[in-house]
């Protein structure tokens, strides 16, 4: 018998003999027989629970999460970290939001803009990584978004969230920040972190299209429909290797399309709803509806100085700043205003 990793192990395929003949004869012992088989028992967390117990555990977990979130609503009053003013070159943390869909907005001049609705749900700072522990150049903050059930998370991941005092999250991301923009773990992040008129970069995983040809994947024109063409209408044709017996790296050919991370840069924020934590950004963003996206201040050089007019390092709900329910850009037309005026 052999015990490995706390389990009894035996073979299904056959028997193995350990030791060599020379070693056995030298020691004067007979060969040792070892039988090994892997035994695993995986059960669901609710497999042996009654329906009443399952509902009780879910309700208890929900109440515990609510208490954790309520305790984090006032980070400035509970042993706050020192806050530093903005200076040139400062970089704030980003947030994780949910793509809810798209809708139109109109400017005061009558121009229609398609905007994407991003909602921030239970977004918290989970961990602070100093530059010595990250890459030696900049500090980083680990941010998590959208609460999920703890019954399908490993114990090591649950311990990671317990250290921050927040519920388990569906998605976590790392944002590099400057030394004067660090936040205490457990600090909640809101949609008011961004303001109308600023520009943001949105990163998400694109919709997977599967294995596609060159016409759909790369926009090839294709070959003629007639004039001697036989079953080559949507094929790529010659791949132009210039006489070499290999394919050039990066050649546009059929393959898997989508399901990769892409970033839409320089999207303007038209509107922010502080009651439901919704951000209205210009244009489309990658990903399907109800997917999680990363939103951060734009990294384009033209918008580097915009952070000096933004809440730094973030917006605190228990701070001195009081905001209305809706924040609009100056160019946005609000339907509670008159559209025609007479002089």
């Amino acid at each position: 018998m052999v015990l490995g990793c706390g389990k009894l192990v035996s073979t299904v395929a056959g028997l193995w003999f350990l030791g060599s003949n020379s070693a056995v004869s030298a020691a004067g012992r007979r060969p040792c027989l070892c039988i090994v088989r892997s035994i695993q028992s995986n059960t669901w967390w609710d497999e042996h629970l009654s329906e009443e117990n399952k509902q009780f555990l879910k309700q208890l977990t929900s109440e515990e999460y609510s208490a954790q979130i309520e305790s984090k609503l006032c980070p400035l009053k509970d042993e706050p970290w020192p806050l530093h003013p903005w200076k040139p070159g400062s970089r704030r943390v980003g947030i994780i939001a949910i793509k809810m869909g798209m809708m139109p907005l109109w400017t005061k001049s009558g121009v229609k803009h398609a905007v994407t609705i991003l909602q921030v749900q239970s977004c918290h700072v989970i961990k602070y990584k100093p530059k010595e522990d990250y890459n030696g150049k900049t500090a980083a903050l680990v941010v998590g978004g959208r609460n999920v059930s703890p019954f399908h998370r490993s114990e090591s991941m649950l311990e990671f969230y317990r250290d921050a005092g927040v519920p388990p999250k569906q998605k976590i991301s790392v944002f590099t920040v400057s030394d004067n923009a660090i936040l205490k773990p457990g600090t909640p992040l809101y949609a008011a972190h961004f303001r109308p008129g600023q520009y943001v970069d949105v990163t998400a995983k694109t919709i997977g299209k599967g294995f596609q040809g060159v016409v759909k994947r790369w926009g090839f024109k294709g070959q003629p429909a007639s004039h001697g063409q036989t079953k080559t209408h949507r094929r790529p044709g010659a791949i132009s290797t210039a006489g070499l017996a290999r394919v050039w790296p990066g050649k546009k050919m059929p393959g898997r399309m989508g399901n990769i991370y892409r970033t839409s840069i320089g999207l303007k924020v038209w509107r922010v709803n502080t009651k439901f934590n919704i951000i209205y950004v210009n244009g489309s963003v990658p990903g399907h509806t109800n997917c999680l996206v990363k939103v951060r201040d734009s990294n384009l050089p033209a918008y580097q100085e915009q952070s000096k007019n933004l809440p730094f390092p973030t917006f605190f709900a228990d701070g001195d700043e009081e905001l209305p329910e809706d924040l609009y850009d100056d160019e946005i037309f609000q339907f509670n205003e008159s559209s025609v005026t007479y002089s």
Side-chain angles (χ1 to χ4, degrees), residues 1-2 15 23 59-60 82 96 100 117 119 152 192 242 256 259 267 273 295 298 305 310 320 322 328 333 340:
M1 293 284 189
V2 172
L15 303 177
Q59 181 181 0
L60 187 65
I96 297 177
M100 306 299 293
I117 304 174
Q119 185 179 26
H152 304 285
R256 292 184 179 179
N259 199 33
L267 304 182
N273 183 280
V295 188
S298 180
E305 298 297 323
L310 301 176
D320 299 331
E322 296 184 2
Y328 293 93
F333 172 74
V340 179

Side-chain angles (χ1 to χ4, degrees), residues 6-196:
K7 297 180 181 178
L8 179 61
V9 210
S10 69
T11 61
V12 181
L15 303 177
W16 289 319
F17 292 91
L18 304 179
S20 61
N21 294 333
S22 58
V24 171
S25 59
R29 296 194 301 262
R30 299 181 62 182
C32 176
L33 176 64
C34 177
I35 304 176
V36 181
R37 185 184 66 182
S38 162
I39 299 177
Q40 296 181 355
S41 60
N42 295 327
T43 59
W44 294 100
W45 68 273
D46 57 350
E47 185 173 344
H48 304 297
L49 296 178
S50 63
E51 189 65 29
E52 293 78 7
N53 288 337
K54 287 192 292 185
Q55 296 300 327
F56 172 74
L57 287 179
K58 291 181 179 180
Q59 181 181 0
L60 187 65
T61 304
S62 177
E63 294 175 355
E64 181 182 355
Y65 284 179
S66 300
Q68 286 182 346
I69 295 176
E70 289 292 336
S71 64
K72 298 297 181 182
L73 291 180
C74 302
L76 295 181
K77 300 177 182 178
D78 181 22
E79 299 180 2
W81 285 12
L83 301 180
H84 304 281
W86 179 90
K87 60 182 181 180
S90 300
R91 185 172 180 84
R92 303 191 307 161
V93 69
I95 64 174
I96 297 177
I98 302 172
K99 180 180 177 181
M100 306 299 293
M102 299 187 68
M103 63 171 288
L105 286 180
W106 284 266
T107 60
K108 296 178 180 179
S109 59
V111 180
K112 177 182 176 181
H113 292 275
V115 298
T116 302
I117 304 174
L118 305 177
Q119 185 179 26
V120 183
Q121 292 184 6
S122 303
C123 187
H124 292 85
V125 178
I126 299 178
K127 187 177 181 181
Y128 163 64
K129 292 185 176 181
K131 61 176 62 177
E132 294 80 9
D133 298 338
Y134 186 57
N135 58 5
K137 299 179 181 179
T138 58
L141 290 175
V142 181
V143 177
R146 199 180 205 178
N147 296 340
V148 292
S149 171
F151 301 110
H152 304 285
R153 294 294 185 271
S154 63
E155 186 62 29
S156 58
M157 288 301 298
L158 294 179
E159 187 66 26
F160 173 71
Y161 293 110
R162 290 194 198 104
D163 294 340
V166 298
K169 303 296 181 179
Q170 181 176 347
K171 180 180 177 64
I172 58 175
S173 297
V174 180
F175 295 94
T176 57
V177 296
S178 55
D179 293 335
N180 60 339
I182 60 176
L183 294 171
K184 180 181 178 180
T187 302
L189 301 175
Y190 304 95
H193 181 75
F194 302 104
R195 296 301 165 88

Side-chain angles (χ1 to χ4, degrees), residues 262-330:
R262 284 287 182 261
T263 301
S264 296
I265 60 176
L267 304 182
K268 186 176 181 178
V269 178
W270 289 107
R271 176 184 173 187
V272 174
N273 183 280
T274 58
K275 180 179 180 180
F276 299 101
N277 279 327
I278 295 178
I279 309 171
Y280 299 79
V281 298
N282 186 65
S284 61
V285 302
H288 56 81
T289 303
N290 206 37
C291 75
L292 295 174
V293 302
K294 296 168 56 178
V295 188
R296 61 182 182 274
D297 296 335
S298 180
N299 201 29
L300 296 176
Y303 308 130
Q304 289 295 317
E305 298 297 323
Q306 66 179 355
S307 298
K308 62 182 179 181
N309 298 322
L310 301 176
F312 190 85
T314 186
F315 169 76
F316 296 98
D318 57 334
D320 299 331
E321 186 178 12
E322 296 184 2
L323 298 177
E325 182 177 337
D326 283 296
L327 302 174
Y328 293 93
D329 185 72
D330 295 336

